[in-house]
Amino acid sequence: MTVQVTVWNEHVHERETESVRERYPDGIHGAIAAGLRTDGYAVRTRTLGDPECGLDPTTIEETDVLVWWSHCANDAIDDEVADRVVEAVHDGMGFIPLHSGKNSKPFVRLMGTSCSIKYRHGGERERVWVADPGHPIADGLDEQFIVPATEMYGEPYDVPEPDRTVFISWFEGGEVFRSGLCYRRGAGRIFAFRPGHEAYPIYHQPEIKRVLSNAVAWAQPTSGASVTTGEVDAVESFDA
Ligand code: ZN
C-alpha cells in the first residue's frame, strides 16, 4: 500500500517575504512534497488558509503520515484542529514536526513540556551528526553532513527524554542541539527534525530530503495488536 502523506505548512513567510518566495516558489510544503513524490509516496499539501486550517476530519482520516512546518502562525491553529492531530497520532498516524513546528500546539501537547530552546539568527554553519547509525531514518547518510547556513537552536531543549536520538547538531557559534528525536505516543510515531529555517534553501538539500523520506517510511502506521481496555472477564479460570 502506498503511504499517504499530508505535508502541512502555515504558508505565511513565502507569501509575505519575497526572498523566501524566491527560494520556495511552490511554498516550503511544495518543495517537501516534490521530494517525497519522487520517492514514491502519495502526497497532498494543505495550508493554514484551507478550510479547518487544512486539517478537516476527512483529510486526517486519509493521512498515514503528517509532515508539519510552522513558525509565526503557531498560535493561529484552532485548538480543535490541534486536538484532532493529537488524537490521530494516538490512533497511529505518523507525525513529523519540522524546525519551529516544535512550538506547534500538537507537538507541545504530545510532549507535555514547554519545548523551549535557545536560538540565534545569523547564518552560521551547522554540522549534523548521525548519533544512531543503525536507525532507519539515517539510512544512506554519511556519519555527518553540513547545512551551510542556518538559524542556531541550542540546548537545553525542554522535551521528554526521547526513545532514540538520531541526530545531534553542532553550530559554528558553539552550541549543540538534539536535532532528530523519536517518540511514540499511543500507536503513533513522532520524529521531530530541527533543520529548516525559511531563510535558507535547506529543504532543497539532498541529505535533508533523504532524512524526510526515511522518516516518512519509519513513521507510517503499523497494524499492531488488537487489545481490550476496561473491566474484563478472566481468560483463565482461577479460585477467587
Ligand atoms: Zn527558524
Side-chain angles (χ1 to χ4, degrees):
M1 281 275 286
T2 306
V3 182
Q4 306 290 321
V5 183
T6 299
V7 179
W8 187 93
N9 175 18
E10 64 180 22
H11 198 216
V12 175
H13 295 293
E14 303 94 319
R15 291 188 291 110
E16 295 184 349
T17 308
E18 191 176 343
S19 58
V20 180
R21 186 162 56 247
E22 285 172 2
R23 194 169 299 113
Y24 293 112
D26 300 317
I28 287 173
H29 53 294
I32 292 171
L36 293 175
R37 285 189 187 111
T38 301
D39 289 337
Y41 296 111
V43 186
R44 77 179 97 192
T45 61
R46 293 288 186 270
T47 65
L48 182 61
D50 292 326
E52 297 207 43
C53 304
L55 296 169
D56 56 277
T58 303
T59 299
I60 290 289
E61 176 68 27
E62 293 173 353
T63 298
D64 293 321
V65 180
L66 176 63
V67 180
W68 178 290
W69 196 97
S70 60
H71 177 225
C72 58
N74 271 325
D75 291 338
I77 312 299
D78 289 345
D79 285 336
E80 189 184 337
V81 171
D83 287 341
R84 189 178 295 153
V85 171
V86 169
E87 189 180 329
V89 172
H90 280 276
D91 288 343
M93 183 182 74
F95 181 48
I96 304 177
L98 302 172
H99 192 57
S100 35
K102 71 173 189 57
N103 291 124
S104 66
K105 288 181 182 178
F107 185 64
V108 172
R109 291 177 189 188
L110 286 160
M111 294 297 102
T113 56
S114 74
C115 304
S116 66
I117 58 163
K118 54 171 69 81
Y119 67 93
R120 175 172 59 243
H121 295 286
E124 61 202 88
R125 191 166 77 250
E126 173 179 8
R127 195 180 290 275
V128 183
W129 286 93
V130 176
D132 190 359
H135 198 284
I137 294 177
D139 273 2
L141 297 173
D142 292 333
E143 68 175 357
Q144 49 102 359
F145 63 90
I146 297 279
V147 176
T150 193
E151 173 193 12
M152 183 280 294
Y153 276 9
E155 297 279 349
Y157 182 14
D158 181 29
V159 285
E161 190 66 18
D163 298 331
R164 306 297 299 188
T165 300
V166 185
F167 301 107
I168 295 174
S169 290
W170 166 91
F171 297 87
E172 209 171 350
E175 287 85 358
V176 295
F177 192 78
R178 291 168 290 163
S179 278
L181 303 181
C182 297
Y183 294 94
R184 288 180 57 195
R185 290 291 183 270
R189 295 179 174 192
I190 301 166
F191 178 65
F193 190 50
R194 192 213 85 85
H197 187 62
E198 70 279 0
Y200 309 99
I202 292 168
Y203 294 116
H204 296 306
Q205 196 173 326
E207 297 94 335
I208 300 293
K209 289 181 170 181
R210 182 76 194 225
V211 170
L212 295 183
S213 185
N214 289 346
V216 166
W218 172 82
Q220 66 182 288
T222 53
S223 50
S226 57
V227 296
T228 308
T229 58
E231 188 175 17
V232 294
D233 293 327
V235 293
E236 298 192 36
S237 60
F238 64 99
D239 294 326

